[in-house]
Amino acid sequence: MPNPRETMPTEEPNSYHYNVIRRAIDRIDAAGGHALPLETLAAEMNMSTAHFQRVFSRWAGVSPKRYQQYLTLDHARALMRERFTTLEAADALGLSGAGRLHDLFLRWEAMSPGDYARRGAGLDIAHGWFPSPFGEVLAMATDKGLCGLAFTDETGRDAALADMTARWPEARFTEATDRIAPLVAAAFGGDGMPRLHLIGAPFQIKVWEALLAIPSGHVTTYSEIARAIGNPGAVRAVGTAVGRNPIAWLIPCHRALRKSGALGGYHWGLPVKRAMLAWEGARADMAAE
């Protein structure tokens, strides 16, 4: 998968380009499924046609006209038909402790059930605010790796911080941007190997491990995840665990859809989920050409 930093190399374009995309999603939705000409979209964004084309292509890797196809609800249904991933066996999920993600090798460690039951007591968690390909992100990390990524464009900073700190109420939280910046750079395509620290109940961690097996550009369903973890009747509980995934993007809960092909929910806002799926879909198609 192409490096996000190749399309958005500096902090300012990261936020700027995503904000343009976010506004364009709203405008495309308002069109009721009708494709909008490049000139119309550019005017709605208060940009020249040429500049809008450059911004869009730099972020998405494809033209605005083509990208609109990836932002429609029909795209999710096409993914279900063409890039549906069946998670058949637990031993295929990397449950032994090593997973493959975004064509990068990832190191991760799960907290023991006993440690989780202490609600984060004894944990020092650093946090900071960073730009990303999908808007501002709140990142959190222990000394073992990233334990949280939360996108703030839909929720706002205060709500995102309150949400994340409430998950481990007995932990000590310190704002330390410089300390965790290398982990965030690795998470979004920089140098180094992403390290994750999964902090959750045993059932949640099983679900999150299954999510790690879904390749970029592909999707699966909540029922497939339930079967993969050996509990096919727990579809509702799987959906809850997917929604409680604390490490958005890296643990790709955005790739879990309903059987019908509907997007379902997304904890950090459906526009973010759609943008992620569209971004990955565009790159998967480019790689296949």
Side-chain angles (χ1 to χ4, degrees):
M1 187 175 90
N3 187 328
R5 290 178 170 252
E6 293 175 359
T7 55
M8 294 193 286
T10 65
E11 178 170 324
E12 186 174 350
N14 254 336
S15 299
Y16 171 64
H17 289 181
Y18 178 74
N19 287 335
V20 171
I21 299 299
R22 179 65 183 85
R23 288 161 55 204
I25 290 174
D26 288 341
R27 183 62 186 91
I28 291 165
D29 284 346
H34 299 289
L36 296 175
L38 174 63
E39 294 79 11
T40 300
L41 271 175
E44 292 285 345
M45 301 300 109
N46 297 315
M47 300 167 69
S48 71
T49 301
H51 183 50
F52 180 66
Q53 175 94 3
R54 285 195 301 271
V55 168
F56 228 104
S57 299
R58 192 179 183 193
W59 186 88
V62 295
S63 70
K65 179 179 179 180
R66 185 172 178 186
Y67 192 73
Q68 286 187 69
Q69 300 169 4
Y70 296 101
L71 288 174
T72 66
L73 293 179
D74 286 341
H75 173 57
R77 295 184 175 93
L79 285 173
M80 290 291 290
R81 291 192 305 269
E82 301 165 12
R83 293 184 186 148
F84 176 74
T85 296
T86 301
L87 305 174
E88 293 179 334
D91 61 359
L93 302 180
L95 301 189
S96 60
R100 187 167 177 83
L101 176 67
H102 295 314
D103 295 328
L104 294 172
F105 282 103
L106 174 77
R107 286 189 294 145
W108 57 269
E109 180 177 339
M111 173 170 279
S112 71
D115 287 338
Y116 175 71
R118 288 193 285 273
R119 298 160 55 86
L123 275 183
D124 290 305
I125 299 179
H127 67 86
W129 311 91
F130 298 87
S132 85
F134 306 103
E136 184 183 62
V137 66
L138 167 63
M140 293 187 163
T142 70
D143 58 358
K144 295 180 180 178
L146 284 169
C147 64
L149 286 176
F151 293 94
T152 68
D153 274 29
E154 300 298 314
T155 64
R157 278 191 172 191
D158 291 344
L161 183 61
D163 183 315
M164 296 300 287
T165 55
R167 297 169 189 245
W168 315 295
E170 302 302 321
R172 292 182 293 272
F173 294 92
T174 305
E175 188 163 2
T177 302
D178 291 344
R179 175 179 153 194
I180 59 177
L183 290 170
V184 177
F188 292 104
D191 296 332
M193 180 184 294
R195 292 183 291 112
L196 304 187
H197 188 191
L198 276 58
I199 304 175
F203 181 84
Q204 291 175 324
I205 288 174
K206 281 187 177 182
V207 171
W208 302 340
E209 289 170 342
L211 290 170
L212 289 170
I214 308 170
S216 178
H218 291 67
V219 294
T220 196
T221 62
Y222 302 109
S223 57
E224 280 293 319
I225 295 170
R227 279 194 290 270
I229 65 172
N231 201 339
V235 176
R236 187 179 297 273
V238 163
T240 299
V242 169
R244 295 298 292 169
N245 165 33
I247 312 177
W249 178 244
L250 287 181
I251 298 178
C253 52
H254 60 280
R255 297 177 193 159
L257 306 181
R258 293 176 178 163
K259 271 186 176 181
S260 64
L263 291 181
Y266 190 64
H267 195 74
W268 307 114
L270 276 178
V272 179
K273 181 173 185 173
R274 289 176 64 193
M276 288 176 174
L277 289 171
W279 196 90
E280 291 181 335
R283 278 154 179 74
D285 282 353
M286 286 191 294
E289 290 177 353

